[in-house]
Amino acid sequence: MEFELTKQCTLSRLDQYILFYWLISLLIGIPLLGDWLRSWNVPLTLANPWFVVFLLVSFAFSQVLYVMVARHDGRPFLMGPTIIFSIGNGVIETLAFATVYRLGDWIGNGLAALFWPAMVGPLGFAVGFTAFVIYGGVIHGLFWLPYLPPHLDDSPRSMRIRKLRPLAEMALVLGWSLCLYLYQDIWTVIFIHILVDLGLMLRVRPPVFLIASRQSMTE
């Protein structure tokens, strides 16, 4: 599939889907996560060096595997779309992720309070983490993979590497969930998610928000 940049004068259908996804995430996420968004707990996360190492290693592991199997098929790198998507999705989709985690946490802790009071906290984290993993798999499987251009290599070598990616993604989600559970620190998660989406834009270069880089029609 080719994407003619010089004729991209309006939002594409993919852009519209993304904006709708962002709108829903904002409308649900901001009311439910207002206390986390107003709190700057990044110093609490940084004060735990071993946890910071885990966050960095899990991020690096996931990105190295992604770079090894993803391709852009000659699509150009565009600064405008890269900035818009990396920051926009990094911030807003994190609200969706954190909302799902928090709802799971509330459900888990509610059940624990009724039946296993000693498990209040750990059970909330377990249910929240599980909900996060399920949501992440569903949104990527039903939305991102079908609507982004094919970008994962199918060679035998890449297929072997791709089998490791679920483990890498689980480690990444575990770190993000612990960040929310231990420190209520959503901003560190947002920052790492922006870096993840920046990696996507650098490596895959999906045709999103091309209107931000349309060329002069006279060229």
Side-chain angles (χ1 to χ4, degrees), residues 66-111:
Y66 191 66
V67 167
M68 292 175 72
V69 301
R71 64 182 193 272
H72 55 71
D73 293 329
R75 288 181 293 274
F77 169 75
L78 301 172
M79 182 63 71
T82 297
I83 293 173
I84 292 171
F85 183 82
S86 298
I87 296 177
N89 198 64
V91 173
I92 300 173
E93 190 176 45
T94 300
L95 299 184
F97 289 162
T99 295
V100 170
Y101 168 84
R102 193 166 209 184
L103 291 174
D105 178 70
W106 285 342
I107 292 171
N109 282 333
L111 292 173

CSV table of all heavy atoms in Angstrom, one decimal, residues 66-111:
chain,number,residue,atom,x,y,z
A,66,TYR,N,11.7,-5.1,19.2
A,66,TYR,CA,10.8,-4.5,18.2
A,66,TYR,C,11.6,-4.0,17.0
A,66,TYR,O,11.2,-4.2,15.8
A,66,TYR,CB,10.1,-3.3,18.9
A,66,TYR,CG,9.0,-2.7,18.0
A,66,TYR,CD1,7.8,-3.5,17.7
A,66,TYR,CD2,9.1,-1.5,17.5
A,66,TYR,CE1,6.8,-3.0,17.0
A,66,TYR,CE2,8.1,-0.9,16.7
A,66,TYR,CZ,6.9,-1.7,16.5
A,66,TYR,OH,5.9,-1.2,15.7
A,67,VAL,N,12.8,-3.4,17.2
A,67,VAL,CA,13.6,-3.0,16.1
A,67,VAL,C,14.0,-4.1,15.2
A,67,VAL,O,14.1,-4.0,14.0
A,67,VAL,CB,14.8,-2.2,16.7
A,67,VAL,CG1,15.9,-2.0,15.6
A,67,VAL,CG2,14.4,-0.9,17.2
A,68,MET,N,14.2,-5.3,15.8
A,68,MET,CA,14.7,-6.5,15.1
A,68,MET,C,13.7,-7.1,14.2
A,68,MET,O,14.0,-7.8,13.2
A,68,MET,CB,15.2,-7.5,16.1
A,68,MET,CG,16.5,-7.1,16.8
A,68,MET,SD,17.0,-8.3,18.1
A,68,MET,CE,17.6,-9.6,17.0
A,69,VAL,N,12.4,-6.8,14.4
A,69,VAL,CA,11.3,-7.4,13.6
A,69,VAL,C,10.5,-6.4,12.9
A,69,VAL,O,9.7,-6.8,12.0
A,69,VAL,CB,10.4,-8.3,14.5
A,69,VAL,CG1,11.2,-9.4,15.2
A,69,VAL,CG2,9.6,-7.5,15.5
A,70,ALA,N,10.5,-5.1,13.2
A,70,ALA,CA,9.7,-4.1,12.6
A,70,ALA,C,10.4,-3.5,11.3
A,70,ALA,O,11.6,-3.5,11.3
A,70,ALA,CB,9.3,-3.1,13.6
A,71,ARG,N,9.6,-3.0,10.4
A,71,ARG,CA,10.1,-2.4,9.2
A,71,ARG,C,9.2,-1.3,8.8
A,71,ARG,O,8.0,-1.2,9.1
A,71,ARG,CB,10.2,-3.5,8.1
A,71,ARG,CG,8.8,-4.0,7.6
A,71,ARG,CD,9.0,-5.1,6.6
A,71,ARG,NE,7.7,-5.4,5.9
A,71,ARG,CZ,6.9,-6.3,6.4
A,71,ARG,NH1,7.2,-7.0,7.5
A,71,ARG,NH2,5.8,-6.5,5.7
A,72,HIS,N,9.7,-0.4,8.0
A,72,HIS,CA,8.9,0.8,7.5
A,72,HIS,C,8.6,0.7,6.0
A,72,HIS,O,7.8,1.5,5.5
A,72,HIS,CB,9.6,2.1,7.8
A,72,HIS,CG,11.0,2.2,7.3
A,72,HIS,ND1,11.3,2.4,6.0
A,72,HIS,CD2,12.2,2.2,8.0
A,72,HIS,CE1,12.6,2.5,5.8
A,72,HIS,NE2,13.2,2.4,7.0
A,73,ASP,N,9.3,-0.2,5.3
A,73,ASP,CA,9.0,-0.4,3.8
A,73,ASP,C,9.1,0.8,3.0
A,73,ASP,O,8.4,1.1,2.1
A,73,ASP,CB,7.6,-1.0,3.6
A,73,ASP,CG,7.5,-2.4,4.2
A,73,ASP,OD1,8.5,-3.2,4.2
A,73,ASP,OD2,6.4,-2.8,4.6
A,74,GLY,N,10.1,1.7,3.4
A,74,GLY,CA,10.4,2.8,2.6
A,74,GLY,C,9.6,4.1,2.9
A,74,GLY,O,9.7,5.1,2.3
A,75,ARG,N,8.7,4.0,3.9
A,75,ARG,CA,7.9,5.2,4.2
A,75,ARG,C,8.8,6.2,4.8
A,75,ARG,O,9.7,5.9,5.6
A,75,ARG,CB,6.8,4.8,5.3
A,75,ARG,CG,5.6,4.0,4.7
A,75,ARG,CD,4.6,3.7,5.7
A,75,ARG,NE,5.0,2.8,6.7
A,75,ARG,CZ,5.0,1.5,6.6
A,75,ARG,NH1,4.5,0.9,5.5
A,75,ARG,NH2,5.5,0.7,7.5
A,76,PRO,N,8.6,7.5,4.5
A,76,PRO,CA,9.6,8.5,5.0
A,76,PRO,C,9.4,8.8,6.4
A,76,PRO,O,8.3,8.7,7.0
A,76,PRO,CB,9.2,9.7,4.1
A,76,PRO,CG,7.8,9.5,3.8
A,76,PRO,CD,7.6,8.0,3.6
A,77,PHE,N,10.5,9.3,7.0
A,77,PHE,CA,10.4,9.8,8.4
A,77,PHE,C,9.9,11.3,8.3
A,77,PHE,O,10.4,12.1,7.6
A,77,PHE,CB,11.7,9.8,9.1
A,77,PHE,CG,11.8,10.6,10.4
A,77,PHE,CD1,11.2,10.1,11.5
A,77,PHE,CD2,12.4,11.8,10.4
A,77,PHE,CE1,11.2,10.8,12.7
A,77,PHE,CE2,12.4,12.5,11.6
A,77,PHE,CZ,11.8,12.0,12.8
A,78,LEU,N,8.8,11.6,9.1
A,78,LEU,CA,8.2,12.9,9.1
A,78,LEU,C,8.2,13.5,10.5
A,78,LEU,O,7.6,12.8,11.4
A,78,LEU,CB,6.8,12.9,8.5
A,78,LEU,CG,6.7,12.3,7.0
A,78,LEU,CD1,5.3,12.1,6.6
A,78,LEU,CD2,7.4,13.3,6.1
A,79,MET,N,8.8,14.6,10.7
A,79,MET,CA,8.9,15.2,12.0
A,79,MET,C,7.6,15.5,12.6
A,79,MET,O,7.3,15.2,13.8
A,79,MET,CB,9.8,16.4,12.0
A,79,MET,CG,10.1,17.0,13.4
A,79,MET,SD,10.9,15.9,14.5
A,79,MET,CE,12.6,15.9,13.7
A,80,GLY,N,6.7,16.2,11.9
A,80,GLY,CA,5.4,16.6,12.4
A,80,GLY,C,4.6,15.5,13.0
A,80,GLY,O,4.2,15.5,14.1
A,81,PRO,N,4.3,14.5,12.1
A,81,PRO,CA,3.5,13.3,12.6
A,81,PRO,C,4.2,12.6,13.8
A,81,PRO,O,3.5,12.1,14.7
A,81,PRO,CB,3.4,12.5,11.4
A,81,PRO,CG,3.5,13.4,10.2
A,81,PRO,CD,4.4,14.5,10.7
A,82,THR,N,5.5,12.5,13.7
A,82,THR,CA,6.2,11.9,14.8
A,82,THR,C,6.0,12.5,16.1
A,82,THR,O,5.7,11.9,17.2
A,82,THR,CB,7.8,11.8,14.5
A,82,THR,OG1,8.0,11.0,13.3
A,82,THR,CG2,8.5,11.2,15.6
A,83,ILE,N,6.1,13.9,16.2
A,83,ILE,CA,5.9,14.6,17.4
A,83,ILE,C,4.5,14.5,17.9
A,83,ILE,O,4.2,14.2,19.1
A,83,ILE,CB,6.3,16.1,17.2
A,83,ILE,CG1,7.8,16.2,17.0
A,83,ILE,CG2,5.9,16.9,18.4
A,83,ILE,CD1,8.3,17.6,16.6
A,84,ILE,N,3.5,14.7,17.0
A,84,ILE,CA,2.1,14.6,17.3
A,84,ILE,C,1.7,13.3,17.9
A,84,ILE,O,1.1,13.2,19.0
A,84,ILE,CB,1.2,15.0,16.1
A,84,ILE,CG1,1.4,16.4,15.7
A,84,ILE,CG2,-0.2,14.7,16.4
A,84,ILE,CD1,0.7,16.8,14.4
A,85,PHE,N,2.1,12.2,17.2
A,85,PHE,CA,1.7,10.9,17.6
A,85,PHE,C,2.5,10.4,18.9
A,85,PHE,O,1.8,9.9,19.8
A,85,PHE,CB,1.9,9.8,16.5
A,85,PHE,CG,1.4,8.5,16.9
A,85,PHE,CD1,0.1,8.2,16.8
A,85,PHE,CD2,2.3,7.5,17.4
A,85,PHE,CE1,-0.4,6.9,17.2
A,85,PHE,CE2,1.8,6.3,17.8
A,85,PHE,CZ,0.5,6.0,17.7
A,86,SER,N,3.8,10.7,18.9
A,86,SER,CA,4.5,10.2,20.1
A,86,SER,C,4.0,10.8,21.4
A,86,SER,O,3.8,10.1,22.4
A,86,SER,CB,6.0,10.5,19.9
A,86,SER,OG,6.5,9.8,18.7
A,87,ILE,N,3.9,12.1,21.4
A,87,ILE,CA,3.4,12.8,22.6
A,87,ILE,C,2.0,12.6,22.8
A,87,ILE,O,1.5,12.2,24.0
A,87,ILE,CB,3.7,14.3,22.5
A,87,ILE,CG1,5.3,14.5,22.5
A,87,ILE,CG2,3.2,15.0,23.7
A,87,ILE,CD1,5.7,16.0,22.3
A,88,GLY,N,1.1,12.7,21.8
A,88,GLY,CA,-0.3,12.5,21.9
A,88,GLY,C,-0.7,11.2,22.4
A,88,GLY,O,-1.4,11.0,23.4
A,89,ASN,N,-0.2,10.1,21.8
A,89,ASN,CA,-0.6,8.8,22.2
A,89,ASN,C,0.2,8.4,23.4
A,89,ASN,O,-0.4,7.7,24.3
A,89,ASN,CB,-0.2,7.8,21.0
A,89,ASN,CG,-1.0,6.5,21.2
A,89,ASN,OD1,-2.2,6.4,21.2
A,89,ASN,ND2,-0.2,5.4,21.5
A,90,GLY,N,1.4,8.8,23.6
A,90,GLY,CA,2.1,8.5,24.8
A,90,GLY,C,1.4,9.0,26.1
A,90,GLY,O,1.3,8.3,27.1
A,91,VAL,N,0.8,10.2,26.0
A,91,VAL,CA,0.1,10.8,27.1
A,91,VAL,C,-1.3,10.2,27.2
A,91,VAL,O,-1.7,9.6,28.3
A,91,VAL,CB,0.0,12.3,27.0
A,91,VAL,CG1,-0.9,12.9,28.1
A,91,VAL,CG2,1.4,12.9,27.1
A,92,ILE,N,-2.0,10.2,26.1
A,92,ILE,CA,-3.4,9.9,26.2
A,92,ILE,C,-3.7,8.4,26.4
A,92,ILE,O,-4.6,8.0,27.1
A,92,ILE,CB,-4.2,10.5,25.0
A,92,ILE,CG1,-4.0,12.0,25.0
A,92,ILE,CG2,-5.7,10.1,25.1
A,92,ILE,CD1,-4.6,12.7,23.8
A,93,GLU,N,-3.0,7.5,25.6
A,93,GLU,CA,-3.2,6.1,25.8
A,93,GLU,C,-2.8,5.6,27.2
A,93,GLU,O,-3.3,4.7,27.7
A,93,GLU,CB,-2.5,5.3,24.7
A,93,GLU,CG,-3.0,3.8,24.7
A,93,GLU,CD,-2.4,3.0,23.6
A,93,GLU,OE1,-1.2,3.1,23.4
A,93,GLU,OE2,-3.1,2.2,23.0
A,94,THR,N,-1.8,6.3,27.8
A,94,THR,CA,-1.5,6.0,29.1
A,94,THR,C,-2.6,6.2,30.1
A,94,THR,O,-2.8,5.4,31.0
A,94,THR,CB,-0.3,6.8,29.6
A,94,THR,OG1,0.9,6.5,28.8
A,94,THR,CG2,0.1,6.4,31.0
A,95,LEU,N,-3.5,7.2,29.8
A,95,LEU,CA,-4.7,7.4,30.6
A,95,LEU,C,-5.6,6.1,30.5
A,95,LEU,O,-6.2,5.7,31.5
A,95,LEU,CB,-5.4,8.6,30.1
A,95,LEU,CG,-4.7,10.0,30.3
A,95,LEU,CD1,-5.6,11.1,29.9
A,95,LEU,CD2,-4.1,10.2,31.7
A,96,ALA,N,-5.7,5.6,29.2
A,96,ALA,CA,-6.5,4.4,29.1
A,96,ALA,C,-5.9,3.2,29.8
A,96,ALA,O,-6.7,2.5,30.5
A,96,ALA,CB,-6.7,4.1,27.6
A,97,PHE,N,-4.6,3.0,29.7
A,97,PHE,CA,-4.0,1.9,30.4
A,97,PHE,C,-4.2,2.1,31.9
A,97,PHE,O,-4.5,1.1,32.6
A,97,PHE,CB,-2.5,1.9,30.1
A,97,PHE,CG,-2.1,1.5,28.7
A,97,PHE,CD1,-0.9,1.8,28.1
A,97,PHE,CD2,-3.0,0.8,27.9
A,97,PHE,CE1,-0.6,1.4,26.9
A,97,PHE,CE2,-2.7,0.4,26.6
A,97,PHE,CZ,-1.5,0.7,26.1
A,98,ALA,N,-3.9,3.3,32.4
A,98,ALA,CA,-4.0,3.5,33.9
A,98,ALA,C,-5.4,3.4,34.4
A,98,ALA,O,-5.6,2.9,35.5
A,98,ALA,CB,-3.4,4.9,34.2
A,99,THR,N,-6.4,3.8,33.6
A,99,THR,CA,-7.8,3.6,34.0
A,99,THR,C,-8.1,2.2,34.1
A,99,THR,O,-8.8,1.8,35.1
A,99,THR,CB,-8.7,4.3,32.9
A,99,THR,OG1,-8.4,5.7,32.9
A,99,THR,CG2,-10.1,4.0,33.2
A,100,VAL,N,-7.7,1.3,33.1
A,100,VAL,CA,-8.0,-0.1,33.2
A,100,VAL,C,-7.3,-0.7,34.4
A,100,VAL,O,-7.9,-1.5,35.2
A,100,VAL,CB,-7.6,-0.8,31.9
A,100,VAL,CG1,-7.6,-2.3,32.1
A,100,VAL,CG2,-8.4,-0.3,30.8
A,101,TYR,N,-6.1,-0.3,34.7
A,101,TYR,CA,-5.4,-0.8,35.8
A,101,TYR,C,-6.1,-0.4,37.1
A,101,TYR,O,-6.3,-1.2,38.0
A,101,TYR,CB,-3.9,-0.3,35.9
A,101,TYR,CG,-3.3,-0.6,37.2
A,101,TYR,CD1,-2.7,-1.8,37.5
A,101,TYR,CD2,-3.3,0.4,38.3
A,101,TYR,CE1,-2.1,-2.1,38.7
A,101,TYR,CE2,-2.8,0.1,39.5
A,101,TYR,CZ,-2.2,-1.1,39.7
A,101,TYR,OH,-1.7,-1.4,41.0
A,102,ARG,N,-6.5,0.8,37.2
A,102,ARG,CA,-7.1,1.3,38.4
A,102,ARG,C,-8.5,0.6,38.7
A,102,ARG,O,-8.8,0.3,39.8
A,102,ARG,CB,-7.3,2.8,38.4
A,102,ARG,CG,-7.6,3.4,39.8
A,102,ARG,CD,-7.4,4.9,39.8
A,102,ARG,NE,-7.1,5.3,41.2
A,102,ARG,CZ,-6.9,6.6,41.6
A,102,ARG,NH1,-7.1,7.5,40.7
A,102,ARG,NH2,-6.6,6.8,42.8
A,103,LEU,N,-9.2,0.5,37.6
A,103,LEU,CA,-10.5,-0.2,37.8
A,103,LEU,C,-10.3,-1.7,38.3
A,103,LEU,O,-11.0,-2.1,39.2
A,103,LEU,CB,-11.3,-0.3,36.5
A,103,LEU,CG,-11.8,1.1,36.0
A,103,LEU,CD1,-12.4,1.0,34.6
A,103,LEU,CD2,-12.8,1.7,37.0
A,104,GLY,N,-9.3,-2.3,37.7
A,104,GLY,CA,-8.9,-3.7,38.2
A,104,GLY,C,-8.5,-3.6,39.7
A,104,GLY,O,-8.8,-4.5,40.5
A,105,ASP,N,-7.7,-2.6,40.0
A,105,ASP,CA,-7.2,-2.5,41.4
A,105,ASP,C,-8.4,-2.3,42.4
A,105,ASP,O,-8.4,-2.9,43.4
A,105,ASP,CB,-6.3,-1.3,41.5
A,105,ASP,CG,-5.8,-1.0,42.9
A,105,ASP,OD1,-5.0,-1.8,43.4
A,105,ASP,OD2,-6.2,0.0,43.5
A,106,TRP,N,-9.4,-1.5,42.0
A,106,TRP,CA,-10.5,-1.3,42.8
A,106,TRP,C,-11.3,-2.6,43.0
A,106,TRP,O,-11.8,-2.9,44.1
A,106,TRP,CB,-11.4,-0.2,42.2
A,106,TRP,CG,-10.9,1.2,42.4
A,106,TRP,CD1,-9.9,1.6,43.3
A,106,TRP,CD2,-11.2,2.4,41.7
A,106,TRP,NE1,-9.7,3.0,43.2
A,106,TRP,CE2,-10.5,3.5,42.2
A,106,TRP,CE3,-12.1,2.6,40.6
A,106,TRP,CZ2,-10.6,4.8,41.7
A,106,TRP,CZ3,-12.2,3.9,40.1
A,106,TRP,CH2,-11.5,5.0,40.6
A,107,ILE,N,-11.5,-3.3,41.9
A,107,ILE,CA,-12.3,-4.5,42.0
A,107,ILE,C,-11.5,-5.5,42.8
A,107,ILE,O,-12.1,-6.2,43.7
A,107,ILE,CB,-12.5,-5.1,40.6
A,107,ILE,CG1,-13.4,-4.2,39.8
A,107,ILE,CG2,-13.1,-6.5,40.6
A,107,ILE,CD1,-13.5,-4.6,38.3
A,108,GLY,N,-10.2,-5.7,42.6
A,108,GLY,CA,-9.5,-6.6,43.4
A,108,GLY,C,-9.5,-6.3,44.9
A,108,GLY,O,-9.7,-7.2,45.8
A,109,ASN,N,-9.3,-5.1,45.2
A,109,ASN,CA,-9.3,-4.7,46.6
A,109,ASN,C,-10.7,-4.7,47.2
A,109,ASN,O,-10.8,-5.0,48.4
A,109,ASN,CB,-8.7,-3.2,46.8
A,109,ASN,CG,-7.2,-3.2,46.7
A,109,ASN,OD1,-6.5,-4.2,47.0
A,109,ASN,ND2,-6.7,-2.1,46.2
A,110,GLY,N,-11.7,-4.5,46.4
A,110,GLY,CA,-13.1,-4.6,46.9
A,110,GLY,C,-13.4,-6.1,47.3
A,110,GLY,O,-13.9,-6.4,48.4
A,111,LEU,N,-12.9,-7.0,46.5
A,111,LEU,CA,-13.1,-8.4,46.8
A,111,LEU,C,-12.3,-8.8,48.0
A,111,LEU,O,-12.8,-9.6,48.8
A,111,LEU,CB,-12.8,-9.3,45.6
A,111,LEU,CG,-13.7,-9.1,44.3
A,111,LEU,CD1,-13.1,-9.9,43.2
A,111,LEU,CD2,-15.1,-9.7,44.7
